[in-house]
Amino acid sequence: MSTDTVSARSRALETTAWGEKFHFVQPRNIVFWIYLWLCAAGLVKGWQEFSPFAGYFGRALLIAGVVGAVSVAVWTWWFRHIDRYERQPLALVITAFVWGATAAPFAIALTANGAMGSLYAKFFGQVFAQDWQAGLTAPFVEETAKGVGIVVLLALAPRLVRTPVDGLLLGAFLGLGFQTSEDLLYSIAGATQGFGAHQTDGLIESIGTRIFSDIVSHPLFTALFSAGVIYLIGTPAQPRRIVRGLALMLAPVVVHGIWDSMVALSGGSQVLAGVLLIGDFVFAFTALWIAFVWAHPRESQFVREVLAPEVESGVLTDEEITAAGGWRQRRHYVKAGTDRADRRRRGHILAAALDLLADLAAGKGHDTPDVIAAREEITRIRGGALHSDTHPSTAP
């Protein structure tokens, strides 16, 4: 391994802080106490919201809770699946989720939403407030309440929250927490319609509506907003990009505002409401796609710098570390296999390369037992094909 590539690896690991551990308890950090205070306040407020329904609507609460737990499990699996390189520590992910589920909705958003709704009614009348209150309140209040969470995480784990991808993934968990609490509130609201005479029907209808709307909801909104905060503030791993940051922070506010104003904007026309719904979905997913496209080159470069010495030593090929750095490159590399077995082998090699990346990050680039085992695993998967591989750097 050349000195240049080893130095580049060390710089990449230092810049990204991949492999760093998160310590939640930080008694000397004032933000740690603010976090505890607001989450505790949110927990108490949430209990006050739900506890009156624990008796007669206990069954509805239980069903809504089970559905919410399944939803959290599914979304968590997906978010962890797309966190390809060095996954965020589980403790930091839970810290984000708890803020989103307690402090953001109950300690901040509920109070602020109510106050702004009262102001709209007072200054513009009840009709205006009924039509536009949701669209002109929730996008600003809720995106800010959740967005404060990524700033809190930056203060609690400054070395772990550095790239726009960190913002996207941690923001998704902030939003998932908020979405879970909001879904419970809507489920109870559905069950209590008609004084609870048909609570099961109302509950099922509410859950169905929320499952559909959750596709484009708070995890996506907060992922975009949090990535925008990273660009706006700038970190050692991401130079400040003010315009890009403001664009990503504004996008979820627009999508959220259109969603909540759908009835008022369409004027009761189902056709226009359908057009707005589709347009809002397309815009939201386009914004998310752009966010990943913007974040990918820098993230891919870090992957290349960490794995480059492995090319020199013959463990990996240049083509493989390129494929490991992006979904599109991975797809092209795997499809280039000569047959099904070769395509499977290529996929396993890339998975093992990412495992090696994680072990190198945990070992700060040193040859730890895990790193040595990861290299041996790549060699084992490559097997006899090593000598017939077309890339010269794989030759023994």
Side-chain angles (χ1 to χ4, degrees):
M1 299 181 187
S2 69
T3 305
D4 289 344
T5 56
V6 173
S7 298
R9 166 187 284 177
S10 298
R11 284 197 302 273
L13 292 175
E14 173 64 23
T15 302
T16 59
W18 285 345
E20 292 285 335
K21 298 185 183 305
F22 173 63
H23 301 284
F24 174 70
V25 179
Q26 303 175 36
R28 297 184 180 181
N29 188 342
I30 185 64
V31 177
F32 169 71
W33 296 106
I34 293 174
Y35 174 89
L36 289 182
W37 171 52
L38 286 175
C39 287
L43 199 60
V44 171
K45 180 71 174 175
W47 172 255
Q48 292 172 343
E49 291 286 334
F50 290 116
S51 58
F53 304 102
Y56 184 70
F57 296 101
R59 187 180 60 177
L61 262 177
L62 178 62
I63 295 173
V66 171
V67 173
V70 172
S71 175
V72 168
V74 172
W75 284 108
T76 298
W77 171 81
W78 174 244
F79 296 151
R80 298 291 277 179
H81 173 70
I82 62 176
D83 191 2
R84 303 182 61 222
Y85 304 132
E86 176 57 16
R87 288 177 176 171
Q88 291 288 350
L90 184 60
L92 184 59
V93 168
I94 294 173
T95 302
F97 181 87
V98 170
W99 175 275
T102 58
F106 298 115
I108 302 175
L110 269 180
T111 304
N113 277 338
M116 288 191 67
S118 298
L119 289 176
Y120 284 132
K122 180 178 180 181
F123 289 111
F124 303 109
Q126 288 292 341
V127 175
F128 178 89
Q130 184 176 357
D131 289 342
W132 297 99
Q133 176 181 327
L136 296 179
T137 300
F140 303 102
V141 170
E142 294 177 4
E143 298 314 317
T144 304
K146 294 176 294 174
V148 171
I150 196 66
V151 178
V152 169
L153 296 181
L154 274 164
L156 291 175
R159 286 182 56 77
L160 288 168
V161 188
R162 289 196 163 183
T163 68
V165 172
D166 294 335
L168 284 165
L169 295 170
L170 289 173
F173 282 104
L174 284 164
L176 181 61
F178 194 98
Q179 177 179 288
T180 302
S181 293
E182 191 178 75
D183 285 355
L184 282 174
L185 286 172
Y186 277 101
S187 297
I188 293 302
T192 55
Q193 288 178 354
F195 302 100
H198 305 285
Q199 58 177 289
T200 303
D201 293 341
L203 179 66
I204 292 174
E205 182 181 352
S206 178
I207 289 175
T209 303
R210 295 304 297 176
I211 289 175
F212 169 72
S213 64
D214 284 351
I215 297 172
V216 176
S217 190
H218 294 289
L220 189 153
F221 299 157
T222 317
L224 292 173
F225 195 95
S226 299
V229 170
I230 300 296
Y231 280 117
L232 186 65
I233 294 176
T235 70
Q238 176 55 58
R240 182 177 297 172
R241 303 289 295 271
I242 294 176
V243 174
R244 184 175 290 189
L246 291 174
L248 288 178
M249 293 169 69
L250 179 62
V253 174
V254 172
V255 175
H256 197 166
I258 292 175
W259 180 272
D260 284 356
S261 305
M262 197 79 70
V263 175
L265 288 172
S266 65
S269 168
Q270 292 187 351
V271 174
L272 184 54
V275 172
L276 287 171
L277 179 66
I278 294 172
D280 213 31
F281 270 49
V282 171
F283 180 78
F285 282 114
T286 302
L288 186 63
W289 176 74
I290 290 173
F292 274 105
V293 168
W294 281 347
H296 172 259
R298 195 159 185 80
E299 202 85 5
S300 179
Q301 182 61 30
F302 288 135
V303 172
R304 170 170 286 280
E305 290 175 354
V306 173
L307 293 179
E310 306 302 324
V311 177
E312 293 181 348
S313 62
V315 176
L316 294 168
T317 70
D318 189 67
E319 184 184 16
E320 286 163 356
I321 64 171
T322 300
W327 290 103
R328 183 180 300 172
Q329 292 84 350
R330 174 190 173 88
R331 188 168 59 251
H332 289 166
Y333 171 77
V334 172
K335 282 186 175 179
T338 54
D339 52 30
R340 184 176 180 181
D342 189 37
R343 287 192 288 273
R344 289 185 60 188
R345 182 183 64 87
R346 285 171 172 248
H348 289 316
I349 288 176
L350 294 186
L354 293 179
D355 289 341
L356 174 59
L357 176 77
D359 291 331
L360 284 167
K364 305 300 180 187
H366 298 300
D367 287 353
T368 64
D370 287 340
V371 169
I372 294 171
R375 288 178 180 142
E376 291 174 349
E377 176 65 8
I378 293 173
T379 303
R380 186 191 68 79
I381 296 171
R382 199 184 303 280
L386 177 65
H387 303 287
S388 60
D389 202 303
T390 55
H391 198 284
S393 65
T394 62

